[in-house]
Each structure stands twice: as structure tokens, then as C-alpha cells.
Amino acid sequence: MNFSSWPLVLVVDVEGNGTNPPDLIEVAALPVREGRPDTGTAGAWLTRPRRPVTPFAARIHGLTNERLEKAPGWEAIANQVHTFLGVSWICAHNAHVDYKVLSAHLPQWQPTGVLDTLRLARATYPDLAKYSLDALIEHAAPDLSEAPAQRHRATFDAYATAQLLIAMANRYESWDQLVAAAVPPGLPGAPEPEQEPTLW
């Protein structure tokens, strides 16, 4: 894979407050440049939700209401997040979820395309029993020694997803092949289905 041919890809991860639909409490966006996660230019934001973090959600990611009490509300950081994401490609694990939540919070935002490492993993490793982020970390054994925070925090999960994306991308010859395997139908960047030729 020639990584220099890639457009800018931001690996994103979001954490929510546990309600349905969720309020965002953490967003991470990690650029992949020349086949490496670029932590030096990554974006990460904590935000105080409108509704309290549920006890279940707090147990998973460790972000409690007390921890977020002095964080800015979403309205205070939305423009900053929108500007950072721009029109770049994004990548996430089970990308439908992150794309849906981000789109709900940033109604004017539209990425050029959406790569999904869950879809890509099913194409790349067809014989795995599970395709959760933990299962893929165990299978691919990416180097997570420089990952920030810990599992289930947006910054860690974005870093782990970036390393998995890079590892799987090396099994494809071109960006177009990667897109064909990794972009779910109906999401931005999905290849157009080939049209049946007609007489007219």
C-alpha cells in the first residue's frame, strides 16, 4: 500500500453519556499520515453533556459527572470540532455509530468518506469468530505502547483503530481497493454500484 497516495484520514472515536440518543462527552480525531498515527496533530475534546452520565456508561469509560463538571458545553466547542474534521475522510470502528452521533451534533458537517474498520476486518480476516475492537487487537497485536489514556477512552480507541486500519491497509494494493472493502453502503464515499448497460 502506498500511503502517500491517501487523502487525509482522521480516525475518530466518540464516547457518550449513556442515554439514547447519546450526548457526546468525548471526541477524538487522530490523523493518519504516511502510514502512521500522528498524535502530534490529533484533536481531543471533553464536553459536559446536557443530561447526566449514566452509572453504566461511567463504569465503562471512567468519565463521571464530577469529572466533566467543568468541561465546556457542546455549543462552546462544536465549531472547533467541525473545523478540525473539515471535509476529511474519517475512519471508525463500527463507523455507523460514530458517524450518526457526530452528524447529529454537527448537522452542517459532511465528510468526504467514511471508512469502517469493522467492515474492513470482516473482508480482511474472514475467519475470525468476533470482530469487536478487543478481538481485533488480540488478533492483529498492533503496537499500542504509545496509546494515550486507556481502553474505552476516545483517544485510546482512536489510536488502536488507527493501528488496525494501517495493519489491514497493507493487505490492499491501492486506496480504491481499500475503499471498496471498507466503506459501508449508504455512507459517504461508498463506491457507486456498477450500472447495467442499457440500449439508451
Side-chain angles (χ1 to χ4, degrees), residues 8-32:
L8 178 61
V9 175
L10 299 175
V11 181
V12 301
D13 190 76
V14 301
E15 300 298 334
N17 65 335
T19 61
N20 187 21
D23 291 340
L24 282 174
I25 60 172
E26 187 176 30
V27 179
L30 176 63
V32 172

Side-chain angles (χ1 to χ4, degrees), residues 27-28 34 37 40 49 53 57 61 67 73 87 101 110 114 117 121 126 140 145 191:
V27 179
E34 298 296 330
V53 179
H61 47 54
R67 175 86 182 272
V87 295
V101 174
Q110 182 71 14
V114 180
T117 49
S145 59

Side-chain angles (χ1 to χ4, degrees), residues 10 29-33 36-44 84 146 148 159:
L10 299 175
L30 176 63
V32 172
R33 303 184 198 277
R36 296 175 56 86
D38 184 5
T39 55
T41 61
F84 191 94
E146 295 182 20
Y159 188 93

Side-chain angles (χ1 to χ4, degrees), residues 96-136:
H96 279 283
V97 174
D98 299 78
Y99 175 68
K100 181 179 179 181
V101 174
L102 281 169
S103 295
H105 284 75
L106 298 170
Q108 304 303 315
W109 167 69
Q110 182 71 14
T112 298
V114 180
L115 302 172
D116 182 6
T117 49
L118 175 60
R119 181 179 176 85
L120 181 61
R122 286 176 173 150
T124 309
Y125 309 126
D127 299 324
L128 294 188
K130 295 180 181 178
Y131 292 93
S132 67
L133 192 59
D134 287 322
L136 291 174

Side-chain angles (χ1 to χ4, degrees), residues 29-92:
L30 176 63
V32 172
R33 303 184 198 277
E34 298 296 330
R36 296 175 56 86
D38 184 5
T39 55
T41 61
W45 301 266
L46 288 175
T47 179
R48 185 181 67 255
R50 290 169 301 175
R51 295 165 292 178
V53 179
T54 65
F56 177 77
R59 281 196 299 274
I60 291 176
H61 47 54
L63 292 169
T64 62
N65 292 300
E66 292 74 22
R67 175 86 182 272
L68 298 168
E69 188 176 12
K70 293 184 175 149
W74 177 249
E75 294 73 17
I77 64 169
N79 285 341
Q80 185 181 352
V81 176
H82 190 171
T83 298
F84 191 94
L85 296 176
V87 295
S88 301
W89 279 76
I90 66 163
C91 173

Side-chain angles (χ1 to χ4, degrees), residues 114-183:
V114 180
L115 302 172
D116 182 6
T117 49
L118 175 60
R119 181 179 176 85
L120 181 61
R122 286 176 173 150
T124 309
Y125 309 126
D127 299 324
L128 294 188
K130 295 180 181 178
Y131 292 93
S132 67
L133 192 59
D134 287 322
L136 291 174
I137 289 170
E138 182 177 348
H139 175 76
D143 180 5
L144 301 180
S145 59
E146 295 182 20
Q150 69 278 343
R151 179 74 174 91
H152 297 298
R153 287 291 302 276
T155 49
F156 182 101
D157 290 1
Y159 188 93
T161 301
Q163 292 287 49
L164 290 169
L165 171 66
I166 293 160
M168 290 188 284
N170 276 311
R171 295 176 172 234
Y172 294 83
E173 291 184 7
S174 68
W175 169 256
D176 288 343
Q177 281 188 5
L178 183 73
V179 165
V183 180

